[in-house]
Amino acid sequence: MIAQAFKTASGGGDMGVEALALCGLSIRLGGVQILHDVTLNVPAGSFTCLLGPSGCGKTTLLRSIAGFAPPASGDIRLGARSIADLPPEKRGTAMVFQSYALWPHMTVAGNLTYPLKLRGIGRAERDTRAEALLDMLGLSGFGPRKVGSLSGGQRQRVALGRALIIDPPILLLDEPLSNLDAAIRRNLRGELRRLQQRLGITTIMVTHDQEEALAMADTIVLMRAGRVVQVAAPQDLYARPADLDAGRFLGVDNMIAGRPGDPVAAATLGFRSMDARIHDAAPENALVRNGTVLDCAYTGGGYHLQLESGAEVISAVSGVPVAPGTQVRVAVPTASLMAFGANQMLLPN
Amino acid sequence: MPTADATPSPLRGKLPGLLLIAPALLAIALLYVVPLARSVIFAFLDQDGGLTTAHLRTAIELYGRDIVFTVLVALASLALISVVSIAIAGYLTLGATPWAVTALRWLYRWPLFIPFIVAGQTARSFLARNGLMNSLLIDSGLMDQATAQSLLDWRGLVLTFAWKQVPFVTLLLAGAMASVDRSTVEAARNMGAGRLRCLIEILLPQVRGTLLVGLILSLVTIMSVLSVPMMVIAGNPTMMTSMMAHRVTYYGDYAVANALGLFSYLITAVAAYAYLRMTLNQHNEGAR
Ligand SMILES: Nc1ncnc2c1ncn2[C@@H]1O[C@H](COP(=O)(O)OP(=O)(O)O)[C@@H](O)[C@H]1O
Ligand SMILES: [Mg+2]
């Protein structure tokens, strides 16, 4: 119902929702190759997260879609047409900048309605739409305020509203939540996701926070050093990262050498410490290692252990405290294991 | 036993400080305040030392046209300075052709280093009826010999003042524009604004204080320069500076010259007031 109100408030979707395709996109900035041959399909109406460590080229990729980083080679297609040669103002992509980039010399309502003014929409209608949008964003009555007087979360909403008011075919978000407090961030995460689903708008969001990406995305695009490493649904990415580095980035904190008797044959076995538990008797269908407890730390719900097992250190969890120096047996269910080959790539199962 | 000396007088405590700034205060008083006050006072004194408005009336009667002319020339110059410096600073900030931006950055500054008197002289030989500009236009076939006219009137003044002051205002403006958050411009382009709209609706409002400072300083310069009107304009009406110099050098009439000076103060004071009001408004807005 709110989505309906919004649709009418923002003029009823004359652009429509469109798919985005990047074909062999390379970007050079200041003589340095930032993106290498990126190919990516973003289905219409989906929520895609670009995930990767800081400096891997996520913002550059987003900026190239918006038209601020000219491609050295490759094509960008929105729906059926190529937009790679259009200037930013002709692309119709709506971007929310990491710094929000609100116009400080305009009021909140001025910020929201300026895109409509650029489209030649009359004052009365601009005001009505801004009003409806402010209601939707939970900012009723904030119209005449200066943007300088808003809190971070409020600015973020205004920036989002400014992008949505033109009813764009695609929404680009550059770390929209990273400047906010943890609590607000968690709230807005759900809010943003629900809003995107209501409007059904094709959305690409940049983040370096894997938890955020897992919680929000339909599809996650994992990037590293200017390349796409893996494109997968959150569950798949979490359970089957493409290689050792991807696994480490996604919180696989144990990477140990495989041994002959292990349930899965692999050069390296990866698993998360929360899947590694202390057992008295070795269970079926599990990877088992023996070790000496080095350290035991309370983490709220339980205890986090560091074990020395041969030359390797294993992280594991336990419901009860274990004294350092104790000999223990740690087991990981086969289903939680990730098997990597000698070339560091995930082995097919 | 406490004595009177034990409690230092307030003046004694401040004395070293006063001594430190005394030379500066003295210099300001002798070089600025006294001559300024003297010239204002002398504009209202008659020969016997009584108060009079006769000089003021003479000034208006004889030079009313020049005062109006001065104001109009100053306003036209400021308008031209604004348009050209906004265009240059805007191109320096938003330009998409790197070599053109670099070339412009090197070129636009050089009038800064040319004295007004040389600028006036150059303008004279450039803008006269058979000056360089008309010769070029006629030789290139863009203009007919018969329609050639001299620009050595108010237009010559406006062009010369603008030529000399545009680099200065551009320098200030381009610096201010460079420090504006770049993403605000990108956000506008992303929302569909072309470069020109970005310049006028996004960049300019964020640097209008700097533009105003540049224009006010230019106004004061225009009100003070004597060499340009002397060089460029022959007859009447002319700038007030020229008339003041004339009054002093030919008639030794300091009183009327001072009365004319009073009008200069008034004009620049209006500009200063506008500037102060604007900065105070901005300050209050920022504090709110
Ligand atoms: N204008 C530029 N010129 C040269 N190098 C740049 C420019 N912009 C970004 N880079 C470089 O590109 C890399 C990727 O940057 P960015 O896309 O901002 O990464 P991310 O958003 O993933 O943190 C970084 O190494 C950065 O230094
Ligand atoms: Mg970034």
Side-chain angles (χ1 to χ4, degrees), chain A residues 59 98 174-175:
Chain A
T59 298
Q98 187 168 9
D174 191 0
E175 313 223 8

Side-chain angles (χ1 to χ4, degrees), chain A residues 114, chain B residues 83 85-91 93-94 173 177 185 188 193-207:
Chain A
Y114 184 65
Chain B
V83 171
S85 10
I86 289 168
I88 298 179
Y91 193 79
T93 315
L94 299 174
L173 213 51
M177 283 182 181
V185 173
R195 278 168 208 279
L196 190 63
R197 293 198 77 144
C198 283
L199 172 60
I200 293 170
E201 292 174 349
I202 303 295
L203 264 185
L204 200 52
Q206 296 188 64
V207 299

Side-chain angles (χ1 to χ4, degrees), chain A residues 63 66 68 87-89 93-95 97 99 101-106 114-115 118-119 146 162-163, chain B residues 181 183-195 197-198 201-203 205-206 208 285 288:
Chain A
R63 288 172 60 82
F68 297 115
E89 62 267 27
T93 59
M95 181 154 170
F97 291 76
S99 61
L102 296 177
W103 299 305
H105 56 292
M106 298 182 192
Y114 184 65
L118 290 172
R119 281 160 181 71
K146 282 261 164 191
R162 182 177 70 179
Chain B
D181 181 2
S183 65
T184 59
V185 173
E186 289 182 341
R189 295 201 71 195
N190 181 244
M191 288 291 131
R195 278 168 208 279
R197 293 198 77 144
C198 283
E201 292 174 349
I202 303 295
L203 264 185
Q206 296 188 64
R208 61 180 201 274
E285 255 166 35
R288 208 186 302 150

Side-chain angles (χ1 to χ4, degrees), chain B residues 3 18 24 31 35 38-40 69 80 108 121 141 150-151 163 184 189-191 194 203 211 214 236 287:
Chain B
T3 63
L18 275 176
L31 297 175
R38 251 177 70 97
S39 68
V40 171
F69 179 81
L80 185 60
Y108 86 88
Q121 192 189 358
S150 165
L151 290 184
W163 185 82
T184 59
R189 295 201 71 195
N190 181 244
M191 288 291 131
L203 264 185
L211 177 63
N236 273 322

Side-chain angles (χ1 to χ4, degrees), chain A residues 26-114:
Chain A
S26 293
I27 305 256
R28 297 181 70 84
L29 290 176
V32 184
Q33 180 126 13
I34 311 286
L35 291 182
H36 305 263
D37 194 28
V38 172
T39 296
L40 182 65
N41 283 301
V42 178
S46 70
F47 195 121
T48 300
C49 273
L50 302 181
L51 176 66
S54 168
C56 73
K58 308 179 296 290
T59 298
T60 306
L61 183 54
L62 210 63
R63 288 172 60 82
S64 76
I65 297 170
F68 297 115
S73 62
D75 197 11
I76 305 169
R77 307 186 71 81
L78 190 57
R81 66 207 167 100
S82 167
I83 57 169
D85 295 326
L86 295 178
E89 62 267 27
K90 299 266 164 58
R91 295 198 180 194
T93 59
M95 181 154 170
V96 174
F97 291 76
Q98 187 168 9
S99 61
Y100 309 144
L102 296 177
W103 299 305
H105 56 292
M106 298 182 192
T107 59
V108 170
N111 268 271
L112 289 177
T113 54
Y114 184 65

Side-chain angles (χ1 to χ4, degrees), chain B residues 127-142:
Chain B
L127 300 172
R129 186 194 300 275
N130 41 20
L132 185 58
M133 185 180 74
N134 285 345
S135 310
L136 285 176
L137 286 176
I138 292 164
D139 288 351
S140 63
L142 288 172

